[in-house]
Amino acid sequence: MQTRNIGDVQVGAIGLGGMPMSIEGRPDESRSIAAIHAALDAGVTLIDTADAYHIHADEVGHNESLIARALASYGGDASEVLVATKGGHLRPGDGSWTVDGSPEHIRQAADASLKRLGVDAIGLYQFHRPDPTVPYEDSVGAVRDLLDAGKIRMAGISNANPEQIRTANEVLGGRLVSVQNQFSPAFRSSEPELDLCAELGIAFLPWAPLGGISRAGELGSRFAPFAEVAQEHGVSPQQVCLAWLLAKAPVVIPIPGSSRPETARDSAKAVDLKLSADELARLDAN
């Protein structure tokens, strides 16, 4: 697979999002592990997770543990796989999502993620979502401390605006390597953040790039140009969408969520799809 950079680490240009494997509607574990193995077989070397990807209050880190088991049981070489996880988002178990960006929580969450992943240092740790009750500098400062202590190898942020990106990079001493924001045909308001990341050479990881778990399958019916271009190339609208995102900037690394081997394989093929300038313009105008 073609590669792109997160910091000084090369990863496959298409990643894998683990969220669908662990929240509401999740499949049995065997299918999720098969999906992870299929992605690895296809050349995926970036897997995105978070401690908040779970359902019940007593299973925090469900997805991290699942990914650790999948990597341990993989028959091939998984030594180059970069696992990116996040902290600062919580699920109390009632279906809601809350935030805790306190430095104390960030430190505790990272320590717990470290144990679940079974690694000496977390490859990429990202502050999951700003907490309006905590100064942003304090939350990112806790991530900086983890980086300085060697508990994480690289630092990133998620759900951030341009000002927060600049602040985080400053707090981290120029060591911010990734920004994970929502971006898809249905959600393009993160264009300023993408442009800033391209300017600064920071990896931009679009989450829900196909429109989210419940709507990814409808992408072609919701956005006709993606279906039309897909038909012209004999591929899925989802592949077209990921190729469109890759063409946005060299820093873009989509992380489509999957819990089925066939969709993981289909997404990985997007790196080989070349779209013309006219096709990209049609998709942009959609």
Side-chain angles (χ1 to χ4, degrees), residues 54-162:
H54 63 90
I55 300 174
H56 309 293
D58 62 352
E59 57 170 14
V60 174
H62 179 278
N63 195 243
E64 293 174 322
S65 299
L66 174 65
I67 287 167
R69 289 193 291 275
L71 292 175
S73 63
Y74 182 57
D77 180 11
S79 62
E80 299 301 314
V81 175
L82 174 64
V83 177
T85 192
K86 301 179 287 294
H89 221 352
L90 299 88
R91 300 207 75 192
D94 60 0
S96 68
W97 296 77
T98 60
V99 293
D100 186 347
S102 66
E104 296 78 16
H105 175 75
I106 297 296
R107 286 192 289 268
Q108 292 168 4
D111 283 341
S113 292
L114 195 62
K115 292 176 182 175
R116 283 189 291 265
L117 292 172
V119 293
D120 296 329
I122 295 171
L124 172 59
Y125 194 74
Q126 302 173 104
F127 177 44
H128 203 156
R129 187 175 288 273
D131 182 344
T133 69
V134 178
Y136 197 68
E137 296 86 344
D138 293 354
S139 299
V140 178
V143 178
R144 176 201 58 215
D145 294 344
L146 293 167
L147 189 60
D148 291 341
K151 292 186 175 183
I152 65 175
R153 300 192 192 283
M154 295 187 291
I157 55 176
S158 184
N159 301 297
N161 62 35

Side-chain angles (χ1 to χ4, degrees), residues 201-221:
I202 294 169
F204 184 85
L205 315 179
W207 63 263
L210 303 178
I213 296 171
S214 63
R215 309 204 75 174
E218 306 169 2
L219 191 146
S221 59

Side-chain angles (χ1 to χ4, degrees), residues 208-223 226-227 236-239 241 257 260 263 266-267:
L210 303 178
I213 296 171
S214 63
R215 309 204 75 174
E218 306 169 2
L219 191 146
S221 59
R222 295 179 66 204
F223 302 98
F226 287 83
S236 69
Q238 291 76 16
Q239 271 190 52
C241 178
R260 292 189 292 144
T263 55
D266 187 71
S267 291

Side-chain angles (χ1 to χ4, degrees), residues 144-234:
R144 176 201 58 215
D145 294 344
L146 293 167
L147 189 60
D148 291 341
K151 292 186 175 183
I152 65 175
R153 300 192 192 283
M154 295 187 291
I157 55 176
S158 184
N159 301 297
N161 62 35
E163 181 182 358
Q164 289 165 336
I165 293 171
R166 293 187 185 278
T167 296
N169 201 32
E170 182 178 345
V171 171
L172 289 163
R175 294 176 293 173
L176 180 68
V177 301
S178 66
V179 173
Q180 183 174 322
N181 274 21
Q182 185 175 8
F183 198 99
S184 70
F187 190 94
R188 303 193 192 186
S189 61
S190 285
E191 195 91 44
E193 290 82 7
L194 191 162
D195 291 343
L196 179 57
C197 285
E199 174 190 330
L200 298 176
I202 294 169
F204 184 85
L205 315 179
W207 63 263
L210 303 178
I213 296 171
S214 63
R215 309 204 75 174
E218 306 169 2
L219 191 146
S221 59
R222 295 179 66 204
F223 302 98
F226 287 83
E228 293 162 4
V229 173
Q231 186 171 13
E232 292 162 9
H233 285 270

